[in-house]
Amino acid sequence: MTMMESDQLLRVEDLRVEYLTEAGRVRVVDDVSFNLRRGEILGLAGESGSGKTTIALAILRLLKPPAVITGGSVVFEGRDLLSLGEVELRRLRGRKIALVTQSAMNALNPVLSIGEQLADAIREHERVGRRSALERARRLLDLVDIDPDRVRSYPHELSGGMRQRVVIAMAMALSPSLVLMDEPTTALDVAVQREILARIARLRQERDFSILFISHDLSILLELCTRIGVLYAGRLVEAAPARRLLGSPQHPYTGGLIRCFPHADEAPGPRPRLVGIPGAPPDPRDPPPGCRFHPRCGQRLPACQRSAPALTTVATDHEVACHLTRS
Ligand code: SF4
């Protein structure tokens, strides 16, 4: 993903994460590189186990053993986060980079009102009085379409969708320049999911921050994101602007993901049959040689089992790792 230096907010370069186990090293993120521009929503797509959550946790240096970052760099606003000390990292988390995860219930404290939790999040990083932090908490709730008087409510008194919006409000509390959203709507029903996605898109326009949005659901990413990177078994296999990815996917895995769901841009007329991708992702302890997708790929060539394809630029802002693109 090439771009002007000044546009760049985050640069992940050759990031490698391994599980260091007694049986040996298991590579779960394999030399992944991508850029995130200021103000954009970049999607990371992939099935469970593709490495997308591990990448988000690696960016924030929140991985727990046995997962260890064993290579690469994560440069955010010009600083390599992998070389920062714990004090600097704590200052950065929440204030500059916020994380929204799938489970709002786990992110919220059940015995504190949501107003107190929002105020605490503000006071942890800023010297403000309790009263003014609570006033900001009210404005934050309003920002995510929740009645500000709900500051006194406890998490169990809110619906699942409202709780997730509180977590998003909490992420917004310190006006970060980057929000990592890891499957933030997956636990919600479709109607609530759509409301929250629309709210996220409006918030991004109003407050001008960037989002790294992680989902197994490519249809959500195609609606919300500017660009999308597709991960398979720990490797980035394709990256392109969202519309180009939908209209002209180059990697057979991306094509398979797109054929798995109906999408909003479908031309009128009979709907194409939805088809799943046969097989399952490989066991990371024993990945297949060559292209990791080859056991499931209907278009594989003899070379695919022997050598792993490198990520190659096929058009402006469009990269693909597949031997077909060079044949
Ligand atoms: Fe299929 Fe070969 Fe391309 Fe892998 S490199 S996706 S096996 S054609």
Side-chain angles (χ1 to χ4, degrees):
M1 300 184 186
T2 54
M3 67 173 65
M4 300 279 292
E5 282 283 306
S6 56
D7 282 347
Q8 192 168 290
L9 180 68
L10 175 79
R11 169 80 192 152
V12 172
E13 184 96 45
D14 296 332
L15 181 68
R16 183 178 295 180
V17 178
E18 293 175 294
Y19 286 176
L20 305 184
T21 69
E22 283 181 9
R25 289 169 176 247
V26 178
R27 197 172 294 179
V28 289
V29 174
D30 195 2
D31 295 349
V32 167
S33 301
F34 60 87
N35 291 306
L36 177 61
R37 295 168 186 162
R38 289 184 191 278
E40 84 168 339
I41 308 181
L42 174 70
L44 277 186
E47 289 164 288
S48 169
S50 59
K52 34 191 209 312
T53 295
T54 307
I55 290 172
L57 295 178
I59 290 169
L60 279 169
R61 300 261 309 275
L62 287 173
L63 288 170
K64 294 208 165 58
V68 176
I69 298 170
T70 53
S73 60
V74 176
V75 176
F76 172 75
E77 293 186 336
R79 290 196 300 172
D80 185 0
L81 304 188
L82 303 191
S83 63
L84 294 187
E86 195 48 45
V87 175
E88 279 177 294
L89 276 172
R90 266 206 301 274
R91 220 176 283 144
L92 187 116
R93 291 182 197 129
R95 186 199 285 261
K96 285 287 193 177
I97 307 178
L99 175 67
V100 176
T101 59
Q102 182 177 340
S103 175
M105 213 52 198
N106 290 348
L108 296 172
N109 185 333
V111 299
L112 287 179
S113 72
I114 56 171
E116 286 172 285
Q117 296 186 56
L118 285 163
D120 285 351
I122 295 164
R123 280 157 59 87
E124 199 176 309
H125 288 272
E126 290 182 18
R127 284 190 187 183
V128 287
R130 190 173 159 66
R131 188 187 288 264
S132 78
L134 273 171
E135 191 43 50
R136 271 170 67 179
R138 292 174 65 86
R139 290 202 296 272
L140 284 164
L141 288 184
D142 192 36
L143 197 68
V144 292
D145 304 326
I146 295 177
D147 179 353
D149 287 343
R150 298 301 296 256
V151 278
R152 284 184 288 274
S153 298
Y154 287 83
H156 72 272
E157 295 173 320
L158 306 177
S159 68
M162 285 171 95
R163 283 197 293 267
Q164 194 58 300
R165 276 186 277 154
V166 171
V167 173
I168 292 168
M170 205 171 275
M172 296 288 101
L174 300 159
S175 302
S177 35
L178 172 61
V179 181
L180 310 178
M181 296 192 170
D182 185 6
E183 307 269 10
T185 59
T186 301
L188 305 170
D189 70 49
V190 175
V192 179
Q193 201 172 72
R194 296 199 83 82
E195 267 174 38
I196 292 188
L197 290 173
R199 186 64 247 179
I200 290 171
R202 285 205 304 277
L203 272 177
R204 205 224 56 75
Q205 277 182 341
E206 290 159 14
R207 306 200 111 200
D208 195 28
F209 57 96
S210 305
I211 300 176
L212 180 65
F213 196 101
I214 290 169
S215 179
H216 68 284
D217 187 337
L218 189 56
S219 64
I220 286 181
L221 299 181
L222 287 165
E223 274 186 51
L224 187 72
C225 299
T226 334
R227 288 183 303 137
I228 297 171
V230 179
L231 291 160
Y232 186 77
R235 289 179 180 160
L236 189 69
V237 296
E238 185 158 13
R243 294 198 71 80
R244 184 172 166 88
L245 199 79
L246 176 63
S248 180
Q250 300 291 305
H251 196 283
Y253 178 60
T254 314
L257 286 180
I258 289 172
R259 286 190 295 277
C260 287
F261 62 85
H263 49 82
D265 278 8
E266 255 172 28
R271 284 195 150 179
R273 196 165 61 86
L274 302 179
V275 227
I277 303 170
D283 181 340
R285 290 169 302 181
D286 186 24
C291 171
R292 289 186 178 167
F293 187 58
H294 86 251
R296 302 172 76 185
C297 182
Q299 298 174 62
R300 66 176 170 262
L301 308 165
C304 301
Q305 299 180 42
R306 290 195 301 270
S307 69
L311 201 62
T312 308
T313 301
V314 292
T316 307
D317 227 8
H318 190 170
E319 296 167 292
V320 186
C322 174
H323 288 308
L324 288 177
T325 60
R326 285 188 285 158
S327 61

